C-alpha cells in the first residue's frame, strides 16, 4: 500500500495532514486505522506525514471508517489523484536532487517567499547566462547537455513569478552577491539590469545589505522562508548544505528565522533606494 518516492508534493503533505485530522476527529487511533488496512501503525503514521504515497483504494477505506459521506469521499479522492500527478519538474529528475524536489514544490505553492542570500543571486532572479556560469562552477564535470538541463530547470522555476496568482517574493541580498564576478562583466551587467527590472514588479521586493551596514543577524548563511494560503501548512524554512537540505516547520524555528529577516530588512538599504544601489554597482562592470 505504501508507494515510496524521493519527496512528497505539497498536495500530498496537505492530504496527509487532513487524514490525520479526520482520524483524530473520528476518535480512531493509529492501531484502529492500521487494523482496517491490514498494515502496521508505522505505515499509517508515514501516510499522515506524506512519507509514502497514497493509493486511492486504501484512502477510501480510511475515509469510510472516519465517517465521510459518499460526496465527501469522492471529493477527497479527486484531490488524491491530483496530488499524485507528477509536477512539471518531474521531467528534470535526472538533474534534480531528491532533497530539492520538495523545495520546488513548496516554491510553486507558496503565497510568500522571503529569502536571504549572501553568496549569489537567488535562482528565481537569475538571468540565463548568470545561471549557466554559476552552474558551470558548481558542476565542473557536467557536459553542455547536462548544463542545459540544469539551466532549463532554473528558468522553468521562474515562470511562477509571472503567473496571475504569483507569490510575493521579498529577497534580501548581501552586497557581496553583486560584487562577486559570476561570468563576464557583460553577464554581470545583464544580471543587475534584470534585478532592476524585477524590483519594479509589484510582487517582488529586493533589498541590499551594504558593507557599510556592518555585521547583521543573517551572517550564518542563506535560507528561504515559505508561507502558504493553505490553512494546514505552517511556515517552512529551507536551509541547504553541500549534500542535502533541512526543512524546518516547528514554530520556534520559523519564528527565529522570521525575526532575523525582519531585522535584516530594517538594516538593509530602504526599498526605494534599491534601484540606485544596483545602478551604482553596475557602473563598476
Amino acid at each position: 500500500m505504501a508507494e515510496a518516492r524521493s519527496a512528497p508534493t505539497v498536495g500530498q503533505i496537505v492530504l496527509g495532514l487532513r487524514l490525520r485530522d479526520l482520524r483524530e476527529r473520528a476518535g480512531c487511533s493509529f492501531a484502529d486505522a492500521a487494523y482496517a488496512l491490514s498494515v502496521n501503525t508505522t505505515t499509517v503514521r508515514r501516510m499522515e506525514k506524506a512519507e509514502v504515497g497514497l493509493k486511492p483504494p486504501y484512502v477510501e477505506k480510511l475515509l469510510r471508517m472516519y465517517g465521510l459521506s459518499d460526496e465527501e469521499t469522492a471529493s477527497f479522492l479527486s484531490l488524491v489523484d491530483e496530488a499524485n500527478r507528477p509536477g512539471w519538474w518531474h521531467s528534470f529528475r535526472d538533474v534534480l536532487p531528491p532533497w530539492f524536489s520538495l523545495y520546488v514544490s513548496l516554491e510553486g505553492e507558496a503565497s510568500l517567499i522571503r529569502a536571504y542570500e549572501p553568496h549569489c543571486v537567488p535562482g528565481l532572479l537569475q538571468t540565463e547566462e548568470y545561471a549557466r556560469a554559476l552552474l558551470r562552477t558548481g558542476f565542473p564535470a557536467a557536459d553542455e547537455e547536462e548544463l542545459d538541463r540544469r539551466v532549463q530547470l532554473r528558468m522553468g522555476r521562474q515562470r511562477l513569478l509571472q503567473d496571475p496568482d504569483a507569490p510575493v517574493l521579498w529577497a534580501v541580498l548581501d552586497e557581496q552577491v553583486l560584487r562577486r564576478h559570476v561570468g563576464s562583466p557583460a553577464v554581470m551587467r545583464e544580471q543587475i539590469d534584470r534585478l532592476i527590472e524585477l524590483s519594479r514588479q509589484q510582487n517582488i521586493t529586493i533589498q541590499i545589505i551594504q558593507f557599510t551596514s556592518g555585521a547583521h543577524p543573517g551572517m550564518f548563511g542563506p535560507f528561504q522562508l515559505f508561507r502558504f494560503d493553505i490553512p494546514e501548512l505552517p511556515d517552512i524554512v529551507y536551509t541547504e548544505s553541500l549534500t542535502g537540505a533541512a526543512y524546518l516547520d516547528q514554530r520556534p524555528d520559523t519564528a527565529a528565522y522570521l525575526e532575523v529577516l525582519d531585522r535584516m530588512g530594517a538594516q538593509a538599504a530602504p526599498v526605494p533606494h534599491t534601484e540606485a544601489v544596483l545602478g551604482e554597482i553596475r557602473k563598476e562592470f
Side-chain angles (χ1 to χ4, degrees), residues 22 62-73 76:
L22 288 169
L62 288 177
L63 297 177
R64 300 294 184 192
M65 178 184 181
Y66 299 155
L68 269 68
S69 66
D70 290 346
E71 183 178 353
E72 291 170 327
T73 298
F76 196 103

Side-chain angles (χ1 to χ4, degrees), residues 68-257:
L68 269 68
S69 66
D70 290 346
E71 183 178 353
E72 291 170 327
T73 298
S75 177
F76 196 103
L77 290 173
S78 69
L79 293 177
V80 170
D81 288 338
E82 182 178 345
N84 285 340
R85 293 187 196 123
W88 65 266
W89 59 89
H90 185 72
S91 62
F92 288 92
R93 60 189 179 278
D94 56 317
V95 294
L96 184 64
W99 47 265
F100 194 67
S101 61
L102 175 57
Y103 179 98
V104 180
S105 183
L106 293 171
E107 186 178 69
E109 295 293 335
S111 58
L112 171 67
I113 302 171
R114 294 189 65 178
Y116 166 61
E117 181 53 68
H119 302 310
C120 59
V121 174
L124 288 179
L125 305 178
Q126 292 174 12
T127 65
E128 184 171 336
E129 291 308 312
Y130 182 98
R132 187 177 301 278
L134 199 63
L135 290 165
R136 182 173 283 113
T137 300
F139 299 92
D143 58 24
E144 288 303 311
E145 182 178 357
E146 180 182 336
L147 278 176
D148 285 343
R149 294 278 293 158
R150 293 185 182 279
V151 171
Q152 289 167 17
L153 171 61
R154 191 156 297 183
M155 296 300 103
R157 287 168 48 205
Q158 296 180 5
R159 289 195 297 266
L160 70 89
L161 293 178
Q162 308 304 324
D163 288 345
D165 57 347
V168 171
L169 173 62
W170 182 357
V172 178
L173 312 184
D174 198 283
E175 183 176 342
Q176 68 181 343
V177 169
L178 306 167
R179 297 193 179 278
R180 175 174 286 112
H181 291 230
V182 176
S184 68
V187 169
M188 290 302 299
R189 288 194 296 270
E190 180 187 35
Q191 177 61 74
I192 294 175
D193 286 342
R194 178 65 173 155
L195 291 175
I196 292 173
E197 175 190 348
L198 289 170
S199 70
R200 298 168 180 166
Q201 195 165 309
Q202 188 173 6
N203 62 313
I204 297 176
T205 298
I206 298 172
Q207 284 188 276
I208 313 299
I209 293 188
Q210 297 173 280
F211 292 148
T212 53
S213 296
H216 61 78
M219 294 175 68
F220 50 85
F223 61 93
Q224 290 79 36
L225 182 144
F226 300 104
R227 179 166 290 172
F228 309 89
D229 287 336
I230 304 169
E232 294 90 344
L233 282 184
D235 289 351
I236 297 177
V237 167
Y238 170 89
T239 63
E240 187 175 307
S241 64
L242 181 63
T243 57
Y247 295 87
L248 311 175
D249 63 359
Q250 296 301 303
R251 178 61 182 167
D253 294 326
T254 59
Y257 278 91

